[in-house]
Amino acid sequence: MKNKNFFRMLFVAFLAVAGLAACHDDKEPDMPVFVENAGILENGQTLSPGAIVHLEGGGYLETDDVILNFFWETGDNLTPEGAIKGYYAKVIAKSYDGMTIQMPYRKPASRVEVNLMRNGKLMNIGNVNLTDGLTPKEFNLYGVYNAAKVMLGDERQITRWLNGDNDISDLKSWTLNMHPDFHSALGVYRAYGICGLSKENDNQYPFFFDLCTEEWSKLSDMNTIALYGNGNAIGAIQSDDGKSYGANSISGDLERSDDYLVSRASSPQPTLRFALPDGVEAGQFGEFPGAYTSRIVLLSANKGNGKWVPVLFSFNQGFKALDEMDAEWLIPFSVRSVAKDELGNTRWISGFIVVRDKSESGCRSLFYTVDENGALTKEPIAQYPNKALSAAANHDRPGTLTVHFEAYRAGNVTEEYSFEKQEWTSVNVFGTFDEIVWIN
């Protein structure tokens, strides 16, 4: 009997140990605890983009990062929840007793997990909710009033003027006090800001004005002679030695509202560098942004005394200068055509606006296109009585070019040209700007 009781007790003990082992195997691994009494002061609150969040507790290190994960309902039955994971938060301050971060812009309304990352491991600190910060999908027309032609007493500024439906938008202006010479303005899809050139310490660099944060940032430390763009990206013609120049993409690090839908190139192509054309100097470029096509970039060089040189830049072959011409301004332009080929691809319509001081057949602005051989057409494709000051493409309306013209009375005039219909349409803008740019 004693032996039976002994074996019965031994069997029960074995089952207990096996049960404990099974429970241990099924148990989720403990989340690492880096910080004691960790929490978020704003935990569970609904915050706006740009709001400050305070991480509390003891034991934060200078090397810690904060990782945000965003989750939101999509309304799609197939993928009911959208997510952006692994977003590095902007850290405002950090100490042993806590960290301060800023909630980002350009994100959808979301539930946000706030995690501390140390040595590749995450500790959840808390959760907040974020209101909608997505940038507009529709394009708006912006005017830049810079130092070139500013009148006494007028403030240098950027002004949001017109929306894509040709109606007056929510008017707002931002000063150019930080960069009064800001020019060659370009936009890039859903970044909600304006890129342009400005000088700093006698060199010229690309700067980006963020319309969400109203902050300036330098996009490159390389001396830049010209910018160009195609709506999806902004490129720069740059040099690090002042002798040879190449094209670099400078918009890859800009945050956009659709970042989670866009795949980035894993390995950038090497930049080829070339000497400038004979008789053309670096400082003669950049008065107007270059015009992008799939093969080349169109640039204009101001030689002074009413002399301009159209310059074509090939990414693989370098610069090619066309014949010098008499002009008050020479403005590159490019738009995507409406028509598509058998493969569904659109072509680029590109060329130069030759602006004359005196009228030619009653017109001061003559629009010439560049053919497949890289030569200007003999006859203009379009013309306009007034002097063109700036040209910009609205990528929501292919086949059209928006041009801001100098007027001879109060206020300038803005017109849109349809290459398909070969006609001008007035745009509802009565402001006076040095440049215009469409962005969203």
Side-chain angles (χ1 to χ4, degrees), residues 195-366:
C195 180
L197 294 175
S198 180
K199 283 195 173 182
E200 182 181 83
N201 298 325
D202 296 327
N203 287 321
Q204 188 167 249
Y205 304 104
F207 287 87
F208 181 78
F209 181 69
D210 190 322
L211 291 164
C212 287
T213 64
E214 302 187 10
E215 296 175 343
W216 292 92
S217 59
K218 186 192 292 185
L219 298 188
S220 173
D221 287 319
M222 292 182 65
N223 193 32
T224 303
I225 62 173
L227 299 177
Y228 63 91
N230 64 358
N232 292 318
I234 297 175
I237 308 297
Q238 301 178 308
S239 175
D240 53 7
D241 61 5
K243 298 177 181 179
S244 58
Y245 295 82
N248 297 305
S249 175
I250 59 171
S251 58
D253 291 332
L254 290 177
E255 192 171 349
R256 310 194 201 185
S257 277
D258 62 341
D259 261 354
Y260 50 93
L261 300 176
V262 176
S263 59
R264 296 176 182 268
S266 57
S267 56
Q269 297 297 316
T271 299
L272 301 178
R273 302 199 175 278
F274 308 92
L276 294 176
D278 291 339
V280 179
E281 300 175 1
Q284 296 171 346
F285 291 93
E287 193 165 333
F288 300 98
Y292 172 88
T293 77
S294 55
R295 298 180 298 110
I296 57 174
V297 175
L298 280 61
L299 305 168
S300 60
N302 183 2
K303 300 199 72 176
N305 298 319
K307 302 292 183 181
W308 287 77
V309 178
V311 178
L312 310 182
F313 176 80
S314 166
F315 301 101
N316 297 319
Q317 298 177 358
F319 298 92
K320 175 186 175 183
L322 304 185
D323 292 339
E324 182 181 287
M325 63 176 62
D326 294 325
E328 188 161 354
W329 299 296
L330 185 65
I331 306 174
F333 71 86
S334 64
V335 300
R336 284 192 179 275
S337 65
V338 176
K340 297 183 179 181
D341 61 21
E342 60 276 6
L343 299 177
N345 299 320
T346 57
R347 66 183 180 90
W348 287 93
I349 304 171
S350 59
F352 293 91
I353 308 173
V354 180
V355 183
R356 305 289 193 194
D357 185 38
K358 296 181 180 180
S359 65
E360 207 171 288
S361 301
C363 294
R364 287 181 168 85
S365 296
L366 307 173

Side-chain angles (χ1 to χ4, degrees), residues 112-189:
V112 186
E113 292 180 353
V114 181
N115 305 293
L116 184 71
M117 186 171 76
R118 182 178 297 175
N119 298 325
K121 297 182 179 180
L122 297 177
M123 173 186 177
N124 181 255
I125 306 297
N127 302 275
V128 296
N129 299 305
L130 183 66
T131 59
D132 185 13
L134 291 177
T135 59
K137 290 184 179 181
E138 67 277 4
F139 281 80
N140 282 260
L141 188 64
Y142 287 70
V144 179
Y145 199 53
N146 57 33
K149 301 162 189 172
V150 68
M151 298 185 67
L152 187 64
D154 289 343
E155 190 171 29
R156 302 168 179 89
Q157 61 186 17
I158 297 171
T159 299
R160 180 172 60 228
W161 193 262
L162 185 80
N163 66 26
D165 293 328
N166 200 12
D167 290 327
I168 297 298
S169 67
D170 176 22
L171 296 179
K172 185 174 181 179
S173 294
W174 300 264
T175 67
L176 290 175
N177 292 340
M178 286 284 292
H179 297 281
D181 63 334
F182 184 75
H183 66 284
S184 291
L186 288 170
V188 64
Y189 183 72

Side-chain angles (χ1 to χ4, degrees), residues 16-30:
V17 172
L20 287 173
C23 291
H24 180 75
D25 289 342
D26 292 338
K27 184 179 179 181
E28 292 290 334
D30 291 333

